[in-house]
DNA sequence: TTGCTCCTCACGTCACGTGAGGTGGC
DNA sequence: TTGCTCCTCACGTCACGTGAGGTGGC
C-alpha cells in the first residue's frame, strides 16, 4: 500500500525541475513534499506530485508567475476565474508580441540605415569628380552663426516636415570664404512633395554641373578636402558659383554617434565652365 | 560661454528619466553628470547630456541591457560591432516573438477546451433520455481492477494513438454490478481512422438505442445517477444489455484538475425494448 | 516652522542559481 | 578517506523603486 517515494534528487530527474527549484516551490507552497523526514530533513515526493509538478511546469511555460500559479492552484474551485486568468495571460502575451514587433521593425530600420552607411563608406572613391545634378525640391532654414549650429536647423526641419523628407540633409553656404563666427548658410532637406511650414523656405534648387569630392572623416578636417577640390577647380579653370553645398552622407546617426573617422560628407562646388 | 546646467530634477523632466534612474545610470557609468558640486554633492547636467540620454532611452526601448548599452557607447569606434549587436538583438526579439506565438497558441487551445467544457456544464439538462447511437470506430484497453485505474488506460491510449483520437474518452463496463476491487472494464477512445497499436483493441462499437443520463459532480457520487437511470429503465420495462458505458464529457483537464462538482459524465445503458 | 529639492544608504523585486559549510551512510 | 546525496543559510541577479533619515536655502 505504501506508494513509491522519490528523494528530491530522483524527483528532480523525473520532473525535470532542479533540486533548488523544488525547494523553492516548497517555500512558495505550490509543490510540497509528501513527507519530510523529521530527523534528516530529507524531502520525499510521491506519484501524485508528478502530476502537480507537470501542471506547474506547464503554467510556468505559459508565463504564469509563481504568485499567479499559487492562486490558480488554490482556487481551482471556480473555473470561470481560471478561464479569465487564461484569457488575461493571453492578452498580455499578445500585447508583448505587438511591442516586440514594433521593436523589431525599429531595429530593422536602423540596421538598414547603418548597412547603407557602411556600404557608402566602402564604396566611396575619394576622387574629385565632375558631375551633373538634377534640380531638386527642397526645404531650408537660413541661418547666421557657427557652422556647427546647423544641427539645430536639421532637427527643426525634421520636426516640421517629418515624413516628407526624401534624402540626406545638406547645407548651402552663401559665403565665399570660411567664417568661424557669423557664417551665412542654410540647413536643408530634399523633399518628396511641396509642403509648407513656418519659417521654412520650400523651393526648387537648380541643378547643373558641380565639382564633387567625398570627404571621409570628422568635420573639423573638411579643410583638407576643400584644399584638394579647390586646387582641382583651379587646374580645371572653373568659375565657381555660390552657394556651395555640403551633403552629409553619413554623420552621427540618430541612435549612435558613430565613429567620426567614418563620417562621409560630399562637397559640391557648382561652376560655369571657364575659358 | 557657460552652457545651461540642469539640476537632476530639471534634467529628469527634460529627459523623462526618473531621478532614481539618473543616479543609477551614473553608477553604471553610462550617463554621468557634467559637474558634481563638491560641497553639496548636487549633480548638474548640460545640453550634450540630453542627446546621450535620448540615445540610452532608445537603446533601452530596444531591449538592450545596461551592460550592452555600456559596451556600445564605449566602443562606438567600430560600427561593425554595433551593427552586429543590432542584428543579434533583432534575432533575440524575433526568437521571443516565435516563443510567444507558441505560448499564445497553446493558451488558445486550452481556452477553447475550457470554454467548451463550461458550455457543456451549462447546457446539460440532467434528465434521462432515450436516444440512438451510431456505430463508432474505437480503441480500447481491457482492464481488471479498480474503476479508478481507468486513468492509466486513458494515458496509455493517448500515448499510443495521439492525434488519431476523435473525441472524449469513455469506459465500457462488462460487469452487471458494481465491483470495488476486480471490476472488468475497458478504457476507450473514439478514433478518426483505423490504426493499430500494441495491446490495444481497435474495432467498431455497435450503435443502437441507449438510455442516457448526464451525471454532474464527482465520480464517487455516480451511484445516485445510476439509481435514477435504473429506476427509469425499470419503469420503462427495458431489457438492459452489457457492456454499459460512461462517457467522460468533462473531468480533470490536462492542466487543471478543475472542480469535481462540475465534472460531467454521461451514463449510457444499451437496451432492447421489453414486452 | 513648512515645503521643496537634493543627498546617501539599505533593502525589495522575481525566480531561481551559486556557493559555503555541514551531515550521514556506504 | 573519498564520493555521493541531502540539508540550511546567505548572497547574487537585473533595472531600477521605495523609503528612511538628513541637508540647505527660501
Amino acid at each position: 500500500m505504501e506508494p513509491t517515494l522519490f528523494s528530491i534528487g530522483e524527483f528532480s530527474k523525473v520532473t525535470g525541475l532542479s533540486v533548488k527549484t523544488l525547494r523553492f516551490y516548497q517555500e512558495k507552497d505550490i509543490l510540497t513534499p509528501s513527507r519530510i523526514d523529521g530527523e534528516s530533513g530529507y524531502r520525499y515526493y510521491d506519484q501524485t506530485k508528478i502530476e502537480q509538478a507537470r501542471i506547474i511546469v506547464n503554467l510556468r511555460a505559459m508565463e504564469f508567475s509563481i504568485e499567479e500559479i499559487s492562486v490558480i492552484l488554490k482556487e481551482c474551485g471556480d473555473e470561470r476565474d481560471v478561464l479569465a486568468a487564461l484569457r488575461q495571460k493571453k492578452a498580455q502575451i499578445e500585447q508583448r508580441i505587438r511591442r516586440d514587433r514594433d521593436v523589431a521593425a525599429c531595429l530593422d530600420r536602423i540596421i538598414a540605415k547603418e548597412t547603407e552607411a557602411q556600404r557608402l563608406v566602402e564604396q566611396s572613391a575619394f576622387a574629385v569628380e565632375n558631375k551633373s545634378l538634377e534640380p531638386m525640391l527642397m526645404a531650408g532654414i537660413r541661418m547666421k552663426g557657427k557652422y556647427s549650429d546647423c544641427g539645430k536647423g536639421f532637427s527643426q526641419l525634421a520636426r516640421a516636415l517629418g515624413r516628407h523628407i526624401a534624402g540626406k540633409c545638406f547645407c548651402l553656404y552663401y559665403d565665399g570664404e570660411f567664417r568661424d563666427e557669423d557664417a551665412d548658410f542654410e540647413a536643408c532637406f530634399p523633399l518628396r512633395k511641396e509642403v509648407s511650414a513656418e519659417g521654412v523656405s520650400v523651393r526648387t534648387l537648380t541643378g547643373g554641373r558641380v565639382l564633387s569630392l567625398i570627404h571621409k572623416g570628422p568635420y573639423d578636417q573638411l579643410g583638407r578636402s576643400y584644399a584638394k577640390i579647390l586646387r582641382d577647380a583651379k587646374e580645371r579653370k572653373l568659375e565657381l558659383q555660390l552657394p556651395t553645398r555640403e551633403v552629409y552622407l553619413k554623420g552621427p546617426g540618430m541612435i549612435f554617434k558613430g565613429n567620426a573617422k567614418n563620417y562621409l560628407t560630399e562637397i559640391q562646388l557648382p561652376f560655369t565652365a571657364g575659358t
Side-chain angles (χ1 to χ4, degrees), chain A residues 12 44 84 119 157 177 222 261:
Chain A
S12 162
Y44 295 98
R119 207 184 47 77
L157 282 167
E177 61 194 330
L222 270 166
K261 282 190 301 192

Side-chain angles (χ1 to χ4, degrees), chain A residues 64-103:
Chain A
F64 283 91
S65 71
I66 300 292
E67 179 64 22
E68 290 168 323
I69 293 175
S70 172
V71 171
I72 288 174
L73 293 179
K74 250 138 223 168
E75 57 152 50
C76 222
D78 202 339
E79 325 210 340
R80 248 168 272 259
D81 287 357
V82 172
L83 202 50
L86 288 169
R87 283 197 229 274
Q88 194 191 328
K89 183 57 64 179
K90 200 196 146 200
Q92 278 174 28
I93 287 177
E94 281 178 341
Q95 173 85 27
R96 196 168 69 189
I97 290 177
R98 279 193 296 275
R99 247 184 37 87
D100 277 353
R101 279 227 196 82
D102 289 351
V103 172

Side-chain angles (χ1 to χ4, degrees), chain A residues 8 11-12 15-36 43-57 60 66 69-70 73-74:
Chain A
I8 196 167
F11 194 65
S12 162
T15 59
L17 292 164
S18 78
V19 168
K20 297 279 181 182
T21 300
L22 288 171
R23 290 203 265 257
F24 179 67
Y25 285 176
Q26 178 195 351
E27 195 188 316
K28 292 294 165 180
D29 212 35
I30 58 174
L31 183 58
T32 52
S34 316
R35 199 168 69 73
I36 296 181
R43 296 159 172 86
Y44 295 98
Y45 297 82
D46 68 24
Q47 295 275 0
T48 68
K49 299 295 180 178
I50 297 179
E51 250 312 281
Q52 180 82 352
R54 223 176 42 78
I55 292 172
I56 293 173
V57 168
R60 286 288 303 136
I66 300 292
I69 293 175
S70 172
L73 293 179
K74 250 138 223 168

